Amino acid sequence: MPAAAPTGCKRTVTLKRLGMTGSALKRTPLYDRHVALGARMTEFAGYDMPVQYSGIVDEHMAVREAAGLFDVSHMGEVFVQGPHTFAFVQNLVTNDISRLHDGRALYTVMCRPNGGIIDDLLVYRLREDAYMLVINASNIEKDFAWMCAHNPMAASLHNTSEYIALLALQGPQSIEIAQRITDHDLSDIKYYHFLRPAPGSFLGCNKVILSRTGYTGEKGLELYVEAENAKKVWDALMEVEPRLKPCGLGARDTLRLEAGFCLYGNELSEDTNPYEAGLGWLTKPDKGEFIGRNALRTLRDKEGRRKLVGFVLEGRGIPRPGYQIVDDCGQVIGNVTSGSQSPVLKKGIGLGYVQSDKTYATPGATIAVQIRTRTVPARVVKPPFHRP
């Protein structure tokens, strides 16, 4: 946050709360559980996070076929409150939050005046004058500074990221498993809606949000709880279903890639606009004024220079971020942004930007990926990859 942040901006975080000092990696409230389960840990966005437990493919398939439990407490949460909250959030993001009602969420991005994406985020409407914004872990400081610097409405902003734990229970059996630990009817929570149990009514926790958004392409439930209650919730889920797989960031990435979801820092950046990233559907230039509106209206009405596509390799290999995408003549037409071996398809899959020419950007088009010294043919497809 800037040294002279506007009134109303509060960064509620302390080193004591984090359990860290100096430049040490941060730890989520569930760090001890990960270590006890034998997780392989790695640095991510300044946190010491589990990358895998039993193995990425094993965890990936557990989510596709049954259920898996993720600790994503490194994600950021900003609460916005006050009489001008709606105007602040509506001006901040590209999507139209007038569509929301209490208990509903939406996906959106916030952009710079030139249309470049600062971050993608979720907006939860808690009530008419209160919203929760969920942002990417690697962008928390940048995002909060941007919010504070673009707050002429003087909305009250609170960065509570270090005080909130987030668990993601994902997979076709996820709702049934979660239902065993609560009397609240979880089947009533529709996609992109959420429930706020009364204080103490969910495992004795005071502040809880149970939502269905997801980042795996499967049915799932997100559980936002106070950091001090994270272990209690994690343990309750693991105890009620002994076969429940703890999952790390490795499976989270392969799952979101199979689903065709963008990742900030790969598909999205400040050098990327929503239209070329295939996110024009969440960009509403006609809703009224918001940051980046003029640039986005221009971008909407003209052909872009590149387009994000999904592709499946037709030969052996794994497309890695940064690999060149070429045409039939070997001319470079783009670059891979994300790639992996699909555990479901057992083929190399990826996302990447190519020239917006329909020759390359249309499903069914033939392209190729330069993998070290080999050129591997690929077919452009429309995600998700794992479902027909």
Side-chain angles (χ1 to χ4, degrees), residues 88-167:
F88 167 76
V89 179
Q90 186 78 321
N91 183 64
L92 185 74
V93 302
T94 64
N95 211 335
D96 186 2
I97 69 164
S98 68
R99 300 163 44 209
L100 296 180
H101 52 70
D102 295 359
R104 189 177 177 189
L106 59 69
Y107 178 54
T108 186
V109 296
M110 53 184 181
C111 293
R112 290 195 173 276
N114 67 357
I117 299 173
I118 294 173
D119 203 1
D120 61 328
L121 64 155
L122 295 172
V123 176
Y124 288 68
R125 174 169 155 155
L126 308 176
R127 58 177 189 269
E128 184 178 5
D129 62 346
Y131 291 75
M132 179 175 74
L133 311 182
V134 182
I135 55 183
N136 284 300
S138 58
N139 290 337
I140 293 174
E141 295 294 334
K142 179 188 76 170
D143 287 1
F144 192 61
W146 179 263
M147 294 174 191
C148 290
H150 295 82
N151 184 19
M153 304 83 177
S156 178
L157 308 180
H158 299 265
N159 177 9
T160 60
S161 303
E162 307 295 346
Y163 286 81
I164 295 177
L166 174 55
L167 284 68

Side-chain angles (χ1 to χ4, degrees), residues 5-34:
T7 301
C9 293
K10 295 183 179 180
R11 183 176 184 272
T12 52
V13 54
T14 64
L15 291 179
K16 182 179 179 181
R17 184 70 172 189
L18 290 171
M20 59 170 280
T21 58
S23 60
L25 290 177
K26 302 175 189 176
R27 294 176 176 176
T28 76
L30 293 165
Y31 174 84
D32 291 343
R33 294 296 187 269
H34 305 319

